[in-house]
Amino acid sequence: MRKLGLNLLIIIVYCFPFVYFAMDKDFNNGSMIGYLMMIVITSLIAFLGKWSNNIIAIVIGNIASAFVSYYFISNLSGEGGWDGTFFKPLGPTGSFIFFSMLNLIPQFLAMKLANKFKKKV
């Protein structure tokens, strides 16, 4: 029961649209703080998930976060929203894919670090 609760917690936290939030902060404020928060928070969640053997929750959570982010980004990629001139040369959708894939790298590193901590304990 405890593992199910932790799985649900990881998935629920991952359901936040991290990539959309980061891109929105960049677009509206010109700030990179959204990208930093995305990297730190998702890496911590990945560390916790790997340390507690909840790999499936990490995968499902990343997919859920990508779907939610894509939903919001696709709604803003038209008239009056992100018109493609800000996120050059990839545009909003291409940048979404790029940042989503790039965000996996620190998560994999955090999972490797969790393995090292787990072996020491």
Side-chain angles (χ1 to χ4, degrees):
M1 186 67 180
R2 185 175 181 197
K3 187 169 181 166
L4 177 65
L6 189 56
N7 279 336
L8 288 175
L9 178 67
I10 289 171
I11 292 170
I12 289 169
V13 173
Y14 261 121
C15 281
F16 183 80
F18 290 106
V19 178
Y20 165 75
F21 176 76
M23 290 175 67
D24 185 57
K25 288 295 172 204
D26 189 12
F27 181 77
N28 289 322
N29 302 338
S31 173
M32 296 291 159
I33 193 75
Y35 297 109
L36 179 65
M37 289 174 57
M38 173 183 68
I39 291 169
V40 169
I41 293 170
T42 57
S43 296
L44 287 173
I45 299 168
F47 180 89
L48 175 67
K50 180 64 177 176
W51 189 66
S52 60
N53 288 326
N54 293 320
I55 305 298
I56 301 296
I58 295 170
V59 172
I60 292 170
N62 271 308
I63 292 169
S65 180
F67 277 126
V68 174
S69 289
Y70 182 75
Y71 172 77
F72 286 120
I73 289 170
S74 65
N75 284 342
L76 288 175
S77 293
E79 259 181 60
W82 299 346
D83 59 354
T85 58
F86 186 78
F87 294 105
K88 284 187 177 178
L90 300 174
T93 305
S95 295
F96 156 73
I97 293 168
F98 176 73
F99 294 134
S100 293
M101 294 298 156
L102 201 60
N103 189 34
L104 293 176
I105 296 170
Q107 290 183 54
F108 284 130
L109 294 175
M111 291 168 65
K112 289 213 178 265
L113 188 64
N115 272 344
K116 288 184 182 181
F117 275 105
K118 198 172 185 179
K119 287 179 183 176
K120 287 183 180 180
V121 173

